[in-house]
Structures are given as C-alpha cells and as structure tokens.
C-alpha cells in the first residue's frame, strides 16, 4: 500500500509539473531569446547524429543545417553540463560555419551551448546571439537544465493532449459538426531543404517532422479553442474547426502561409495547401482524425 501511495503522489506531482511546464516556444519568448534550439541524439542506418527537435526563431533550412554527427559534437563541446560559449571576438566561430548559411553566420556574435540530460539521453541546448541582438541574460546552468528537461519530457504527454482535445471538441460540437482539414507543408519543406544534404531518408524524415512541429507551434494561434490542431506526419498538420458557416479554405491557407514565412520563406509558403478532409459528427471520430498518422 505504501508503494502504491508513493506512486500515486509521484503521478500527481508529475501531472502538476506537466501543467505548469511551458512549451519550448513560450519559454524562449519569455526568456528573450531570438534563435534557440534543442538538439537530440538519434541513431539511423547511416550513423549516429544530433538533429533539431525543438526550435524557436530558426528557419526550416537553419534547423536542417544544424544536423551533425554525434562525434562532431563530442569533439566540439566539453562533457560538462555547464554553459559553453563561443565568440567571434575570440575567433571561435569558424568551426561552426557549416551549420549556418553565410548570411546568418556572418551576423553571429556568440553561440551558447548547454549539454543536459533527459531520461539519461544527452541533449544539447543551442542559443545564437546575432550582432544586432540585445545581450543574452543567462540563467544558471542547473536551473536552465531543469526547465529544458521538463519541457522535453512533458512535450508529448498523450493524456494531457487528449484531455485538451476532449474538452475542446465537446464545446465545438455544440457549434457545428467537426470540419476536418489537413494543412499540407510537404512541398514547402522540400523546397526549403533543397540543397541541404542530409544523410539518409530516415534522418531527413525526422528533420521534416521537427520542422512540421515547429510550424504547428506557429499556426496554432490561428485555430483557437474550441478549434484544434496537431502535428501529423509527412509534413502535415491536422486541423479541426467548428463553425456554422463553411470556411473559406483559400483564405485560411493564405493566413497560415503568412504566419509561416519566417520558418519556410516567402517563396516556399506559396505551396501551402489546406485540404478539406470532410465532416465528423462525433468526438470519437474527431479525435481519431487528430491522432492518426
């Protein structure tokens, strides 16, 4: 019984922590960052890599360029879980020129790295300061690492996501049937990544998923409660809208494209497509649409 009580208390504590943990985007905004990312390890048939799994202020191309081998990062960073800074003033940035396009790299003043652990996985937080940016105020490494660990661990809590959908859909169905859409970014992302060499389709698909997830964070405010949106697969974002009158799909696609210019570029966003996927009269089918691949 004692063990059961401990597990129950731990679960409740975890739920409370999940509720108060910000998203990576919101935390980055609140911290005054301009360009930030989390690099996570992965192993594919083509080798062991770090790639961007969370990003704020980076373009899709920048996210892809930050992909590098685990060996590269082991040789570049110390294994200390402390802030590590590389500055242009001290001639320390040349090692990173392949991770950025020239127009961005030439503006970089400093790059900060913070290795941290989440469930025993070694991850890397990256913070880029450009010449025109305000000086970055860094919180203590230990404090930042705890926040990042929580963000990563609670990012995809399925129970919390489903509970939010459940509540929204109950409210929305009082307005209309669920109007189902797919916001397709596949062509945009492929165009934006043209010329970026990623070793193997498996790693490329992971990068595309991360870019799609970043896009979902950008467009989510367009689909406010009780409407819902969720990152799908293959460059797709699932969208559920509730409205008495039929939506103007072209207008919605236009607004979504405008919000994504910073991530995908002006030219690429012309390929944004909002595809109608039908109507659904019940919650079960609506949740299935949002959660399926």
């Amino acid at each position: 019984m004692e063990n059961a009580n401990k597990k129950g208390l731990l679960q409740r504590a975890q739920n409370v922590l999940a509720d108060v943990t910000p998203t990576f985007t919101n935390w980055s905004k609140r911290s005054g960052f301009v360009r930030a990312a989390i690099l996570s390890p992965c192993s594919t048939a083509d080798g062991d890599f770090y790639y961007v799994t969370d990003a704020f202020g980076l373009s899709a191309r920048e996210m892809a360029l930050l992909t590098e081998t685990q060996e590269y990062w082991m040789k570049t960073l110390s294994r200390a879980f402390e802030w590590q800074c590389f500055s242009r003033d001290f001639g320390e940035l040349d090692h990173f020129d392949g991770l950025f396009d020239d127009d961005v790299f030439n503006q970089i003043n400093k790059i900060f790295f913070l290795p941290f652990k989440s469930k025993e996985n070694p991850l890397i937080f990256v913070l880029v300061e450009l010449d025109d940016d305000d000086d970055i105020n860094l919180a203590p490494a230990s404090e930042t690492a705890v926040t990042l660990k929580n963000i990563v661990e609670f990012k995809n809590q399925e129970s919390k996501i489903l509970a939010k959908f459940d509540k929204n859909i109950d409210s929305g169905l009082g307005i209309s049937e669920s109007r189902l859409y797919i916001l397709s970014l596949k062509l945009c992302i492929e165009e934006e990544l043209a010329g970026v060499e990623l070793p193997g389709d498996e790693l490329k698909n992971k990068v595309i998923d991360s870019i799609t997830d970043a896009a979902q964070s950008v467009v989510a405010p367009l689909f406010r409660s009780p409407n819902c949106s969720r990152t799908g697969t293959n460059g797709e974002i699932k969208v559920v809208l509730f409205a008495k009158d039929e939506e103007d799909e072209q207008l919605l696609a236009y607004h979504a494209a405008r919000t994504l210019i910073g991530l995908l570029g002006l030219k690429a966003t012309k390929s944004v497509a909002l595809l109608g996927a039908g109507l659904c009269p019940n919650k079960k089918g609506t949740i299935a649409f949002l959660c399926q691949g």
Side-chain angles (χ1 to χ4, degrees), residues 88 205 233 237 290:
R88 184 173 299 280
N205 289 336
T233 58
I237 297 172
L290 285 165

Side-chain angles (χ1 to χ4, degrees), residues 36-271:
I38 295 175
L39 302 178
S40 299
C42 71
S43 295
T44 73
D46 298 283
D48 299 323
F49 302 92
Y50 272 92
Y51 73 108
V52 172
T53 49
D54 296 85
F56 173 74
L58 300 179
S59 70
R61 183 176 173 84
E62 288 173 321
M63 290 175 66
L65 286 170
L66 278 168
T67 304
E68 255 299 349
T69 63
Q70 292 184 25
E71 182 182 12
Y72 170 91
W73 290 113
M74 288 179 66
K75 290 181 177 179
T76 301
L77 303 178
S78 81
R79 300 193 180 186
F81 295 108
E82 297 291 342
W83 285 112
Q84 300 173 41
C85 177
F86 296 81
S87 170
R88 184 173 299 280
D89 289 343
F90 294 100
E92 298 169 323
L93 295 183
D94 288 348
H95 184 66
F96 305 106
D97 62 351
L99 302 182
F100 301 90
D101 281 326
D102 289 344
D103 58 336
V104 174
F105 181 72
N106 291 334
Q107 300 177 60
I108 294 176
N109 182 34
K110 295 175 184 174
I111 307 177
F112 300 90
F113 297 95
L114 177 61
F116 68 101
K117 277 191 174 182
S118 173
K119 293 183 179 178
E120 302 310 311
N121 288 322
L123 288 79
I124 304 169
F125 175 58
V126 184
L127 193 53
V128 180
E129 180 185 294
L130 302 186
D131 290 331
D132 294 335
D133 294 342
D134 294 333
D135 290 341
I136 294 174
N137 294 316
L138 299 177
S142 58
E143 177 184 326
T144 304
V146 169
T147 301
L148 288 165
K149 177 178 179 289
N150 291 338
I151 287 172
V152 170
E153 292 184 359
F154 298 128
K155 176 183 176 182
N156 295 314
Q157 273 214 347
E158 194 74 9
S159 61
K160 297 294 179 185
I161 294 170
L162 292 178
K164 181 180 178 182
F165 286 159
D166 196 82
K167 183 178 179 181
N168 283 4
I169 293 166
D170 276 338
S171 299
L173 288 172
I175 300 171
S176 71
E177 292 183 299
S178 301
R179 299 181 181 275
L180 313 180
Y181 296 92
I182 294 173
L183 185 66
S184 178
L185 310 177
K186 182 175 171 55
L187 294 178
C188 312
I189 294 173
E190 287 181 350
E191 182 171 349
E192 191 66 3
L193 297 190
V196 179
E197 293 186 12
L198 292 168
D201 289 340
E202 186 178 353
L203 185 59
K204 182 178 180 180
N205 289 336
K206 288 180 179 293
V207 171
I208 289 173
D209 286 345
S210 292
I211 293 169
T212 307
D213 197 45
Q216 201 280 140
S217 296
V218 173
V219 301
L222 295 176
F223 310 117
R224 293 176 181 169
S225 176
N227 303 314
C228 312
S229 63
R230 191 182 190 193
T231 306
T233 58
N234 201 28
E236 295 180 349
I237 297 172
K238 302 293 186 65
V239 178
V240 176
L241 301 179
F242 299 97
K244 292 181 179 179
D245 299 321
E246 189 172 347
E247 299 286 351
D248 185 331
E249 294 179 15
Q250 287 188 328
L251 183 61
L252 282 171
Y254 170 79
H255 285 306
R258 294 291 297 176
T259 66
L260 291 169
I261 288 175
L263 178 68
L264 296 171
L266 181 59
K267 182 180 178 183
T269 50
K270 293 179 180 178
S271 301

